């Protein structure tokens, strides 16, 4: 079929899907009104201009998808099989077996080092490592256990992850490892000491051994930069790993690390967790210290949006990790308080209501959400309600507006490591001839930032009010025992470079950051394309334990992380 005919066929399909979507919206509204929900569908239809923009955007996405599929091929390579069963253990299980001397820390650490060496040529997720130092620390951990200086109970209490190797992204400082944040000017900078969260994990016995890839300046949702290159998805190397904790998502999914730390200011934990089929938790605002994260938050409000949190293959590792890195703030979270799922009120929304230039939610993701809600209705016998929060349509502009700050530290200054400012227009010309030290996305972000919402303007104050109103609406809805189920992202992992034409899809996660709520990305198996699908669960501030309880239940019911082939 000729390209013109294929595009004409696709155009008809898009128009049919738009009509079908409108019909479903009307049906959803009638259903919610009849159910007596307080959050009924009162969405407003887009104006003509926005409708034309959305339709045009869909055509552009289809064209780019066709082009990239032609260039890359429909499917890429997959991660190699597992030949050592140690790699299949959770971090908590490994810690237990190490302190009870069923395994040694040295053999565990060596197993994950060998796995990293196996997968990294394919995935490019590890950008720095301290394997020799990690093995020395592992030998010291084994020596401590063998000495019986501390009982097993004392080890479990004081050093719950003794001897377990841990990885983190290249923006969370680790002593002696690179600390670049994907910024060319920082390519030779190394950490002088651990970030506070890593310091706490090390104190709990974990052994840092690998550093993973990020996007440039940690501000894009594909992990690629001019220092370390691009990371690839373990389930299909033609697809992205997400960002900015994308390398961390990939190393976890490929069983190259038992657990790790990520950071999240617009979805940088949850999107990579979703694309790579693992668990990732963004904690409540101001619970985990951001000390040692680069780029640093520019204002107190940005510091509230930013959160360092756990990333892992098994839901059971989320709570002990969060307890450790929350430090003295852990008491606020009441993590040991039992959660009765039957007493939780479940609210869910299938999409953002039609955000401008945001992709529709994939069928696989909608199906997964319906299965999850059916599970909570029939098996758990919980209160489940479908809702519609209209302000979620404005998630992207609300995020962009609230990220502005009076300090006026611009993105072109961040790309110059705050030593000056790059000239993004000159860099764009240099990029065209392959001479720029910055990515296309980084350069375009520096240019478009100047054209967007500016701090202190009427539009800025309007977006702050919209955020505050949505925050109050959701706090009222959630109360002390409610959770909100929402897509982590509208599509499964796209092809490399495809996020350029789907830039605003991050808004599904970004809106949660500016609200300050905790949120957990939960894997729900693989979809029709053989790629991970899942969703995120959101709770009220400091109600993180509800998110974690739901994550454990859904892992039990749907299987969680899908391991590669096992040949051990």
């Amino acid at each position: 079929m000729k390209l013109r005919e294929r595009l004409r066929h696709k155009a008809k399909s898009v128009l049919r899907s738009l009509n079908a979507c409108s019909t479903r919206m009307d049906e959803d509204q009638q259903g919610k009104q009849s159910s007596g929900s307080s959050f009924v569908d009162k969405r407003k239809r887009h104006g003509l201009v926005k409708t034309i923009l959305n339709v045009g955007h869909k055509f552009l996405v289809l064209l780019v998808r066709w082009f990239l599929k032609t260039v890359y091929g429909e499917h890429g390579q997959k991660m190699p099989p597992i030949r050592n069963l140690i790699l299949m253990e959770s971090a908590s299980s490994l810690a237990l077996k190490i302190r009870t001397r069923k395994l040694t820390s040295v053999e565990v650490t060596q197993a994950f080092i060998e796995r990293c060496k196996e997968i990294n040529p394919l995935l490019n997720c590890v950008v720095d490592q301290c394997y020799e130092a990690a093995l020395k620390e592992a030998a010291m951990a084994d020596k401590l256990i063998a000495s019986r200086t501390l009982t097993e109970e004392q080890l479990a209490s004081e050093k719950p992850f003794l001897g377990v190797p841990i990885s983190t992204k290249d923006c969370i400082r680790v002593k002696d490892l690179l600390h670049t944040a994907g910024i060319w000017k920082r390519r030779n900078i190394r950490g002088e000491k651990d970030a506070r969260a890593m310091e706490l994990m090390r104190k709990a016995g974990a052994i840092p051994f690998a550093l993973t890839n990020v996007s440039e300046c940690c501000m894009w949702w594909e992990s690629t930069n001019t220092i370390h290159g691009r990371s690839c998805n373990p389930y299909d190397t033609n697809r992205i790993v997400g960002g900015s904790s994308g390398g961390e998502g990939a190393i976890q999914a490929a069983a190259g690390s038992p657990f790790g730390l990520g950071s999240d200011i617009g979805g940088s934990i949850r999107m990579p967790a979703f694309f790579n089929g693992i668990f990732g938790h963004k904690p409540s605002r101001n619970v985990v210290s951001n000390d040692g994260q680069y780029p640093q938050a520019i204002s107190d409000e940005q510091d509230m949006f930013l959160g360092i949190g756990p990333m892992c293959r098994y839901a059971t590792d989320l709570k002990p990790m969060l307890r450790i890195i929350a430090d003295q703030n852990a008491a606020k979270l009441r993590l040991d308080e039992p959660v009765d799922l039957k007493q939780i009120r479940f609210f869910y929304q299938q999409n953002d209501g039609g955000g401008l230039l945001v992709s529709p939610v994939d069928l696989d993701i909608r199906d997964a959400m319906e299965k999850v809600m059916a599970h909570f209705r029939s098996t758990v016998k919980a209160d489940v309600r479908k809702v519609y929060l209209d302000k979620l349509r404005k998630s992207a502009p609300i995020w962009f507006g609230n990220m502005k700050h009076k300090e006026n530290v611009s993105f072109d200054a961040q790309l110059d490591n705050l030593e000056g400012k790059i000239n993004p227009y000159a860099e764009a010309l240099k990029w065209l001839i392959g001479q720029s030290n910055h990515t296309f996305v980084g350069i375009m972000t520096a240019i478009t930032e100047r054209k967007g919402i500016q701090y202190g303007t009427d539009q800025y104050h309007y977006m702050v009010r919209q955020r505050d109103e949505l925050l109050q609406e959701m706090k009222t809805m959630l109360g002390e025992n409610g959770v909100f189920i929402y897509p982590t992202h509208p599509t499964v992992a796209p092809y490399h470079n495809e996020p350029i034409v789907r830039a605003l899809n991050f808004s599904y996660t970004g809106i949660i950051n500016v609200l300050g709520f905790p949120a957990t990305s939960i894997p729900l198996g693989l979809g029709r394309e053989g790629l991970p699908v899942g969703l995120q669960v959101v709770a009220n501030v400091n109600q993180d334990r509800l998110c974690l309880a739901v994550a454990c239940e859904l892992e039990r019911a749907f299987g969680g992380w899908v391991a590669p082939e096992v040949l051990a």
Side-chain angles (χ1 to χ4, degrees):
M1 185 181 293
K2 295 181 179 180
L3 175 60
R4 184 181 298 176
E5 294 173 343
R6 294 181 66 179
L7 289 176
R8 186 182 297 116
H9 176 73
K10 289 289 186 181
K12 292 179 180 179
S13 298
V14 168
L15 292 174
R16 283 196 300 268
S17 66
L18 288 173
N19 290 332
C21 180
S22 176
T23 302
R24 285 196 302 271
M25 287 162 53
D26 293 339
E27 291 172 350
D28 288 346
Q29 180 175 357
Q30 294 171 7
K32 282 189 282 288
Q33 288 173 338
S34 63
S35 68
S37 170
S38 301
F39 300 91
V40 295
D41 189 338
K42 298 178 181 178
R43 76 185 74 191
K44 301 173 183 177
R45 295 187 182 277
H46 280 308
L48 179 60
V49 173
K50 289 184 177 180
T51 299
I52 292 172
L53 284 173
N54 271 338
V55 172
H57 178 248
K58 286 179 173 62
F59 282 126
L60 175 63
V61 166
L62 289 171
L63 181 61
V64 170
R65 167 57 66 97
W66 170 83
F67 175 75
L68 293 175
K69 189 181 290 188
T70 301
V71 170
Y72 292 122
E74 188 167 0
H75 298 292
Q77 295 176 268
K78 295 182 179 180
M79 54 187 157
I82 287 177
R83 293 180 171 84
N84 187 336
L85 290 179
I86 287 176
L87 303 176
M88 294 293 294
E89 301 274 356
S90 69
S92 299
S93 174
L94 290 171
L96 174 62
K97 289 185 177 182
I98 289 171
R99 65 175 172 263
T100 56
R101 296 190 292 178
K102 293 186 173 92
L103 289 172
T104 67
S105 176
V106 168
E107 63 181 317
V108 169
T109 303
Q110 187 65 55
F112 283 99
I113 289 173
E114 292 303 319
R115 180 63 174 174
C116 283
K117 291 178 179 179
E118 181 183 24
I119 64 174
N120 208 50
L122 180 67
L123 305 181
N124 190 36
C125 51
V126 178
V127 298
D128 200 10
Q129 47 81 14
C130 51
Y131 295 156
E132 290 185 11
L135 287 170
K136 289 178 181 177
E137 287 189 49
M140 292 174 61
D142 290 333
K143 187 175 180 179
L144 173 62
I145 293 167
S147 72
R148 298 184 183 274
T149 303
L150 298 174
T151 65
E152 290 178 10
E153 291 74 18
Q154 287 174 315
L155 289 172
S157 175
E158 298 174 24
K159 293 184 176 293
F161 286 113
L162 180 62
V164 181
I166 187 172
S167 53
T168 192
K169 64 191 289 192
D170 179 19
C171 74
I172 297 175
R173 194 172 58 223
V174 179
K175 189 177 186 301
D176 297 330
L177 293 185
L178 287 173
H179 191 217
T180 76
I183 299 171
W184 179 258
K185 264 206 170 180
R186 295 180 60 86
R187 64 192 181 280
N188 296 318
I189 293 178
R190 292 187 174 271
E192 296 180 357
K193 63 176 184 177
D194 291 336
R196 179 57 178 163
M198 184 55 77
E199 177 187 351
L200 291 167
M201 290 303 298
R202 198 189 288 264
K203 184 179 177 182
I207 301 173
F209 83 115
L211 195 74
T212 53
N213 204 19
V214 297
S215 52
E216 186 176 24
C217 204
C218 298
M219 288 299 287
W220 184 238
W221 52 279
E222 177 169 11
S223 289
T224 182
N225 57 72
T226 57
I227 305 171
H228 305 300
R230 171 182 285 122
S231 296
C232 299
N233 193 295
Y235 295 91
D236 184 339
T237 54
N238 289 346
R239 306 296 184 114
I240 72 168
V241 295
S244 60
S245 308
E248 193 59 37
I251 195 176
Q252 298 290 330
S257 173
F259 60 167
L261 294 176
S263 58
D264 190 319
I265 198 170
S268 291
I269 287 175
R270 288 162 290 151
M271 283 188 290
F274 168 75
F275 291 139
N276 294 281
I278 64 167
F279 293 89
H281 180 70
K282 184 203 82 68
S284 291
R285 63 192 183 201
N286 300 325
V287 165
V288 177
S289 170
N290 292 320
D291 174 65
Q293 145 82 32
Y294 193 90
Q296 299 173 345
I298 302 302
S299 63
D300 289 341
E301 192 165 43
Q302 275 196 11
D303 194 60
M304 180 192 79
F305 302 159
L306 176 64
I308 292 177
M311 298 178 70
C312 49
R313 295 170 295 161
Y314 297 100
T316 51
D317 289 331
L318 292 171
K319 185 188 292 186
M321 288 184 73
L322 181 58
R323 181 185 290 110
I324 291 165
I325 62 177
D327 198 18
Q328 295 180 352
N329 288 326
K332 298 178 182 178
L333 306 182
R334 298 175 290 159
L335 293 173
D336 293 323
E337 187 174 302
V339 175
D340 183 355
L341 292 174
K342 293 181 180 179
Q343 300 304 314
I344 292 181
R345 294 177 301 136
F346 291 86
F347 303 93
Y348 74 104
Q349 184 165 324
Q350 290 183 324
N351 55 57
D352 66 353
L356 183 63
L357 306 184
V358 177
S359 299
V361 176
D362 282 355
L363 178 60
D364 281 343
I365 298 170
R366 297 200 307 268
D367 287 348
M369 179 172 287
E370 288 299 339
K371 289 176 183 177
V372 165
M373 305 326 297
H375 171 75
F376 285 121
R377 284 192 193 98
S378 60
T379 304
V380 180
K381 307 296 184 185
D383 180 10
V384 176
R385 304 180 192 179
K386 190 174 186 179
V387 298
Y388 177 72
L389 303 170
D390 186 66
K391 289 183 176 63
L392 290 177
R393 283 204 302 175
K394 304 174 186 175
S395 292
I398 289 174
W399 185 87
F400 282 115
N402 281 271
M403 282 290 287
K404 297 297 181 179
H405 44 83
K406 61 182 179 182
E407 286 78 5
N408 196 31
V409 178
S410 58
F411 193 70
D412 50 13
Q414 294 280 17
L415 292 180
D416 205 40
N417 198 34
L418 303 181
E419 297 172 9
K421 292 183 179 181
I422 69 162
N423 181 331
Y425 299 102
E427 290 297 330
L429 294 175
K430 289 164 66 177
W431 182 87
L432 288 173
I433 57 174
Q435 297 300 309
S436 178
N437 292 324
H438 302 285
T439 61
F440 173 78
V441 168
I443 295 167
M444 289 300 104
T445 301
I447 291 174
T448 56
E449 180 187 49
R450 303 179 180 191
K451 310 297 182 182
I453 299 171
Q454 300 302 313
Y455 179 83
T457 62
D458 289 344
Q459 193 177 16
Y460 164 80
H461 290 296
Y462 173 73
M463 289 306 168
V464 171
R465 289 196 301 274
Q466 291 289 292
R467 188 265 320 259
D468 292 343
E469 290 171 10
L470 178 59
L471 175 62
Q472 189 56 52
E473 188 176 0
M474 290 190 68
K475 287 177 72 173
T476 300
M477 177 182 77
L478 293 170
E480 293 293 307
N481 68 331
V483 296
F484 179 56
I485 308 292
Y486 194 51
T488 313
H489 200 80
T491 73
V492 295
Y495 287 94
H496 295 301
N497 295 312
E498 197 175 354
I500 292 171
V501 295
R502 297 177 182 256
L504 299 186
N505 285 1
F506 85 96
S507 57
Y508 274 81
T509 48
I511 189 64
I512 307 302
N513 292 83
V514 297
L515 298 174
F517 293 134
T520 305
S521 182
I522 302 171
L524 295 168
L526 305 181
R528 293 170 176 82
E529 297 180 75
L531 297 167
V533 296
L535 47 76
Q536 63 179 325
V537 56
V538 181
N540 218 330
V541 175
N542 295 338
Q543 302 296 325
D544 300 54
R545 70 188 189 285
L546 302 184
C547 298
L548 305 187
V550 171
C552 288
E553 172 63 19
L554 292 182
E555 180 182 45
R556 185 196 65 77
F558 294 91
W561 168 64
V562 178
E565 184 183 5
V566 178
L567 298 180

